[in-house]
Amino acid sequence: MKGITANTDSPNAQRKLYIETYGCAMNLADSEVVASILSDKGFQTTNLIEQADVVFINTCSIRDNAESHVWGRLKEFKPHKRKNPKLIIGVLGCMAERLKNDLLEKEQIIDIVVGPDAYRDIPRLIEQVDEGGKAVNVLLSREETYAEITPVRLSSNGVTAFISIMRGCNNMCSFCVVPFTRGRERSRPSASIVKEATELYQAGYKEVTLLGQNVDSYNETNEAGETLCNFAGLLKQVANIAPDLRVRFSSSHPKDITDEVLFAIQAYPNICNYIHFPIQSGNSRVLNLMNRTYDREWLLQRIARIREIIPNCGISTDIIAGFCSETEAEHLDTVSMMQDMQFNFAFMYAYSEREGTLAQRRYADDVPAADKSRRLAEIISTQQKNSVYLNQQEIGKIHTVLAEGFSKRSDQDLRGRNDQNIIVIFPKEQYQKGQYVRVQIISATQTTLIGKAIEQISQP
Ligand code: SAM
Ligand code: SF4
Ligand code: F3S
């Protein structure tokens, strides 16, 4: 983002930070906070690891393969450390929080371990390493929201940006490691969120995504604990900044999506008609074991309510295949739920047991790996059919697309997303990124709509 320059008076002015980010959008937003904290101390950011004095890897623990990937990357950092023994290597994020000092023991090249709530301490931790030690801070906080830190927008397209509105999670889904790695839920003051969104808009951004593990439980309170602003109120405040600033949000827990939020989406053309609605399973017994606090019937009536209030709402979901003790019939309940619900797209995973979670302590991870993979494949194939079918229904229709940049394949085509969060590609002609363009859909694949621009419009 404009206006952020490194502090060139600092003794760190020649030092360069390289940061690699894994995991969810929260981690991407956190890396931008870390870059900002170090920029204040004079560090420049670089995209080239060879030029770096400090290498950070911001990590994810959500599934075993996310962690394996990070271990692999750390091994690949070794030649850089050999070439430059002064190179500082730090592990940030959820793996840092989960494994703490164990990281230092398992991998000698690591100098710094920092959990998600301790990023303000990074300059001091770097000094500690400069003096010849190793440095760890994995304290979780009940208050930290990095509210007043203006993130340095890393690899930004200049059109869309994430804004972190809350941290942590108070839900205890039995499969999930996040409450352990991110701590208790806390909401960032609404004034600082609106300020950040306004500054982004003034810098030319046209879309903000409000981020949290469970945004619908956003709750700004006064000292007496009374609600000052809930999520619907926050959405409206951000949408009121400007009619040509699109607002999205992620992620929601189905139990917390209120009618008030649905009516706000319906009332404001610039709040996108799109909800991520992670069901996890379509079977009530499995949902109960997962501690999701809803059952299949409740999900069905809630999705019906979304479609009633916002008839053209895009809905996506998350599914876990092969959770502890899931039977074949229970798996088929998930498949049938997907067929009935017709989600626009889905993130689908095989269950991965995480140490310390409720599920790991209480239930056996007893669905054989081969069955998990097959069930996952069936779930993916169900979703592929739904996505192809739904995208084909859009052929001939006109969508408002915010152009975000060139398509991956050609600089003659622009790429953006429609209101429902589906990717749309169209020939560039006279149009530019950052513009709202009405596009008529000509053809469709499973993931993308392809169209032809009709006209530019000033707002969605
Ligand atoms: N807070 C969000 C929610 O409640 O939906 C998202 C949490 S997580 C970052 C994203 C997704 O990862 C979850 O919705 C779930 O489908 C999946 N996930 C979490 N823990 C998992 C595990 N142990 N094994 C497989 N998938 C998991
Ligand atoms: Fe994990 Fe559940 Fe919290 Fe989402 S709501 S982060 S799945 S514990
Ligand atoms: Fe991963 Fe942590 Fe996000 S575990 S999904 S990076 S909150």
Side-chain angles (χ1 to χ4, degrees), residues 34 37 56 58-59 89-104 110-126 128-129 133-141 144 146 167 181:
V34 169
I37 290 168
F56 281 162
N58 196 356
T59 60
I89 295 186
V91 177
L92 278 51
C94 291
M95 246 174 112
E97 194 60 51
R98 196 177 85 73
L99 297 169
K100 303 183 172 58
N101 283 292
D102 288 359
L103 276 166
L104 296 177
I110 301 171
D111 303 295
I112 295 182
V113 177
V114 205
D117 286 347
Y119 296 147
R120 284 180 206 266
D121 197 27
I122 288 178
R124 188 190 65 84
L125 299 172
I126 290 178
Q128 205 171 314
V129 176
K134 301 247 174 192
V136 178
N137 187 345
V138 288
L139 284 176
L140 286 173
S141 158
E144 181 63 273
Y146 302 109
R167 302 182 69 81
T181 63

Side-chain angles (χ1 to χ4, degrees), residues 6-142:
N7 176 357
T8 46
D9 298 335
S10 156
N12 291 312
Q14 302 301 319
R15 297 177 95 180
K16 288 203 168 73
L17 164 72
Y18 169 90
I19 183 159
E20 213 169 272
T21 308
Y22 296 93
C24 61
M26 300 286 303
N27 257 15
L28 288 172
D30 281 1
S31 288
E32 297 185 335
V33 165
V34 169
S36 174
I37 290 168
L38 284 181
S39 164
D40 275 353
K41 297 289 171 193
F43 281 80
Q44 318 265 340
T45 47
T46 174
N47 291 327
L48 299 172
I49 192 168
E50 297 76 16
Q51 292 185 350
D53 303 286
V54 174
V55 170
F56 281 162
I57 182 162
N58 196 356
T59 60
C60 175
S61 290
I62 201 82
R63 284 167 290 276
D64 188 49
N65 56 8
E67 292 201 354
S68 306
H69 190 77
V70 169
W71 288 118
R73 272 310 274 155
L74 284 166
K75 290 209 165 46
E76 286 165 13
F77 292 165
K78 281 186 180 170
H80 298 285
K81 184 96 168 178
R82 240 178 273 131
K83 228 189 248 171
N84 172 13
K86 283 196 166 162
L87 181 68
I88 295 177
I89 295 186
V91 177
L92 278 51
C94 291
M95 246 174 112
E97 194 60 51
R98 196 177 85 73
L99 297 169
K100 303 183 172 58
N101 283 292
D102 288 359
L103 276 166
L104 296 177
E105 277 157 38
K106 283 198 180 139
E107 186 51 87
Q108 306 292 318
I109 64 160
I110 301 171
D111 303 295
I112 295 182
V113 177
V114 205
D117 286 347
Y119 296 147
R120 284 180 206 266
D121 197 27
I122 288 178
R124 188 190 65 84
L125 299 172
I126 290 178
E127 270 175 33
Q128 205 171 314
V129 176
D130 284 341
E131 284 159 16
K134 301 247 174 192
V136 178
N137 187 345
V138 288
L139 284 176
L140 286 173
S141 158
R142 283 183 174 251

Side-chain angles (χ1 to χ4, degrees), residues 169 171 173 175-176 178-179 213 253 292:
C169 182
N171 295 315
C173 304
F175 50 80
C176 186
V178 172
Q213 286 304 343
H253 188 303
R292 289 292 282 187

Side-chain angles (χ1 to χ4, degrees), residues 220-252:
E220 181 183 24
T221 54
N222 62 14
E223 275 167 17
E226 294 152 352
T227 298
L228 297 173
C229 181
N230 65 8
F231 184 57
L234 179 71
L235 264 182
K236 290 182 210 166
Q237 281 193 57
V238 177
N240 280 330
I241 291 171
D244 62 337
L245 179 69
R246 255 187 180 178
V247 188
R248 296 186 187 273
F249 55 91
S250 178
S251 223
S252 302

Side-chain angles (χ1 to χ4, degrees), residues 62-63 175 213 278 280 292 318 320 349-352 354:
I62 201 82
R63 284 167 290 276
F175 50 80
Q213 286 304 343
Q280 313 298 355
R292 289 292 282 187
D318 291 351
I320 297 178
Y349 314 99
Y351 172 59
S352 167
R354 309 312 289 137

Side-chain angles (χ1 to χ4, degrees), residues 389-399 418 441 449:
Y389 173 78
L390 289 173
N391 283 352
Q392 292 201 330
Q393 303 312 299
E394 299 309 312
I395 295 174
K397 294 187 190 160
I398 295 168
H399 289 264
N418 68 4
I441 305 307
L449 301 174

Side-chain angles (χ1 to χ4, degrees), residues 351-367:
Y351 172 59
S352 167
E353 185 177 75
R354 309 312 289 137
E355 211 182 320
T357 55
L358 218 66
Q360 186 257 338
R361 286 181 278 133
R362 282 200 194 153
Y363 315 124
D365 177 14
D366 54 0
V367 175

